[in-house]
Amino acid sequence: MMDPIYVGYLAIFALLGLLALGIPISWGVGIVGVLGTIYMNGIGQAAQQISLTVWENGTLFVFIVLPLFLLMGQLSFHTGIANDLYDCVHKWFGRLPGGLAVAAVISNAIYGAVTGNSVAAVATMGPMVMPQFRKYKYNLSLATGTLASAGTLAVLVPPSTLLTIYGLWTETSIGELFIAGIVPCLLLSVAYCLVLMVWCMIRPEMGPKGPEYPWSEKIASLKKLLPTVAVMSIVLGGIYGGIMTPAEASGVGVAGVILVAALNRRMTIKALVDSLRAAAVTGGMVFTILITGIVFSRFLIQTQVTSSIVAWISSMELSTVVLMLAILIFYFVLGTAMDTFGMLILSLPFVMPVIDAHGINHIWFGIFVGVMVELAAVSPPVGITVAVMRAVAPDVPTTVIFKGCYPFLVLTVLLGIALIFWPELALWMPDYLNSL
């Protein structure tokens, strides 16, 4: 029998080969994990191990947060809550230089607090905002780049799907992850808005000012948004206040969105069915990636590949700053070839043992990974949110969309570097709340 560590490295190359052939990440990870486990343990014991892994993780009550938060986002989309959100932000901020783009950034950041998914944010806001950009003759590169980049803010805003997956995988407090993502998200949102305003002040033809609205309309738009803001405040406050578990809070969130939609007379059978279907499809995909990723991770542990990688990196005696800069580069390169979920699941089995060996805070690293995923979402040639934006605006070439993303991509890299040198950006709020 081949030395286990060689089996592990061979499995990694096999997985990379499958991914290069275009095999979906869940299938590739699952195939290599299952075949590797069979080779290491024999088919009988492997079947027992795999079935136990699937049962243990597939029946965890905490996993219910994923489909319920996904359902909450879908309900908000199909019942028009996103329309209320953009209408409000547009009326308050549209008159600024590049005001429609600024409104798009703010709307995406807030909408992320309902959907928790960057793809859903772009798919929702894109069709809603692009007609406004065209109406006021915005530069299409700036317009599409803004929407593709702003959608990634959902990664850091509660109830982020990615932070939920990270928390489940690493057994890290989902509530603390949600709280830790707020300050970095605010910083990035403000940076995006400032760059857009300066850009459009220097070159007004890139993003003309939007219309001016009377104060009566601005106040009326706030009133329509208040119920949704109240629901999200209850969900987040309930989680971190210890009143509700994340699983319970996700159920409350779904009930709250249904109630808001019903009061606005938008809760139709079609909206409910469409929301359930979309949440089930996305949830099934994410569950498959999670379970196959765990099978693959446990197989790698048996081959001692992870421990050898930790030993090799430890022998270099890298400082924490140098290590994290290297991981930033690693994620940047990985993000140019993989989608966000694939990048997360493929990297965690290798990266987390190194993080643990260096005593790096799991909450902080979760936010750092979230920023890296934001980076990947707009990095060529894959750029998942760019691909969604291309579908929303088929007349705009992909290269033009990517060009509009570059200023935001630079800001995201700078935030990642800032987190490395000032971890308090992510840890300040959880630490403060824990001290109360």
Side-chain angles (χ1 to χ4, degrees):
M1 183 176 176
M2 191 185 303
D3 190 322
I5 198 165
Y6 292 129
V7 174
Y9 284 117
L10 183 61
I12 293 169
F13 285 117
L15 174 59
L16 295 175
L18 289 174
L19 297 179
L21 292 172
I23 302 294
I25 182 70
S26 57
W27 282 93
V29 170
I31 289 169
V32 173
V34 169
L35 293 180
T37 305
I38 290 173
Y39 180 82
M40 293 293 294
N41 302 283
I43 192 164
Q45 189 176 347
Q48 186 178 8
Q49 285 184 12
I50 292 168
S51 61
L52 186 61
T53 298
V54 173
W55 175 258
E56 281 180 347
N57 294 280
T59 57
L60 285 174
F61 178 70
V62 70
F63 268 32
I64 197 68
V65 300
L66 203 52
L68 285 178
F69 277 141
L70 288 171
L71 178 58
M72 187 169 69
Q74 289 297 326
L75 283 168
S76 68
F77 166 57
H78 289 288
T79 57
I81 287 175
N83 292 314
D84 293 341
L85 169 61
Y86 179 72
D87 179 65
C88 175
V89 176
H90 173 222
K91 286 176 177 175
W92 280 88
F93 296 95
R95 194 60 183 162
L96 296 170
L100 296 183
V102 171
V105 170
I106 298 171
S107 298
N108 272 286
I110 300 174
Y111 186 61
V114 182
T115 181
N117 186 292
S118 58
V119 171
V122 177
T124 302
M125 289 292 170
M128 192 187 311
V129 182
M130 275 307 294
Q132 294 289 324
F133 280 138
R134 294 182 192 277
K135 178 181 178 180
Y136 291 97
K137 296 181 170 48
Y138 267 61
N139 178 278
L140 290 180
S141 181
L142 178 145
T144 53
T146 298
L147 285 168
S149 302
T152 64
L153 295 170
V155 169
L156 294 177
V157 182
S160 164
T161 303
L162 183 128
L163 292 182
T164 302
I165 293 172
Y166 173 87
L168 293 171
W169 179 284
T170 61
E171 299 181 358
T172 304
S173 168
I174 295 174
E176 290 195 49
L177 284 168
F178 285 173
I179 295 294
I182 292 175
V183 170
C185 181
L186 286 174
L187 288 173
L188 202 56
S189 300
V190 170
Y192 282 6
C193 291
L194 289 175
V195 165
L196 284 168
M197 290 171 62
V198 171
W199 192 355
C200 294
M201 286 172 67
I202 296 172
R203 298 184 60 189
E205 73 279 4
M206 297 292 287
K209 294 180 180 180
E212 180 67 57
Y213 291 93
W215 279 97
S216 58
E217 289 191 37
K218 292 181 179 181
I219 300 299
S221 68
L222 281 176
K223 291 178 181 177
K224 292 171 66 177
L225 196 60
L226 282 177
T228 305
V229 173
V231 170
M232 297 316 303
S233 299
I234 291 170
V235 169
L236 188 57
I239 292 174
Y240 208 82
I243 302 169
M244 297 178 281
T245 65
E248 292 165 343
S250 62
V252 170
V254 169
V257 171
I258 291 175
L259 178 61
V260 170
L263 291 174
N264 290 324
R265 298 184 179 181
R266 297 175 182 171
M267 194 64 250
T268 63
I269 296 297
K270 184 179 185 303
L272 180 60
V273 170
D274 289 346
S275 300
L276 287 168
R277 183 185 294 114
V281 170
T282 307
M285 176 197 72
V286 174
F287 269 118
T288 303
I289 292 174
L290 267 173
I291 298 300
T292 54
I294 291 170
V295 171
F296 178 71
S297 180
R298 292 188 177 182
F299 156 66
L300 286 183
I301 290 172
Q302 292 183 54
T303 65
Q304 299 179 353
V305 164
T306 50
S307 58
S308 70
I309 291 174
V310 171
W312 174 61
I313 293 176
S314 297
S315 67
M316 296 182 184
E317 298 182 352
L318 301 176
S319 68
T320 300
V321 170
V322 173
L323 173 67
M324 293 311 304
L325 288 172
I327 290 178
L328 186 152
I329 295 170
F330 164 73
Y331 271 115
F332 183 80
V333 173
L334 198 62
T336 62
M338 300 190 70
D339 62 76
T340 52
F341 287 137
M343 185 176 81
L344 181 71
I345 297 302
L346 185 63
S347 66
L348 288 183
F350 304 101
V351 174
M352 288 312 297
V354 176
I355 295 303
D356 289 335
H358 280 74
I360 294 172
N361 185 292
H362 279 203
I363 301 290
W364 174 85
F365 187 68
I367 304 307
F368 179 81
V369 168
V371 174
M372 293 301 99
V373 167
E374 285 194 60
L375 194 64
V378 291
S379 296
V382 177
I384 184 66
T385 59
V386 172
V388 176
M389 198 60 236
R390 181 75 170 83
V392 170
D395 60 315
V396 184
T398 303
T399 52
V400 173
I401 302 175
F402 273 123
K403 183 180 177 182
C405 292
Y406 292 151
F408 306 106
L409 191 148
V410 171
L411 290 173
T412 307
V413 171
L414 291 175
L415 177 62
I417 294 172
L419 282 169
I420 292 173
F421 285 96
W422 297 286
E424 296 80 12
L425 291 176
L427 297 178
W428 170 79
M429 187 172 285
D431 288 346
Y432 173 73
L433 292 175
N434 282 328
S435 67
L436 295 178

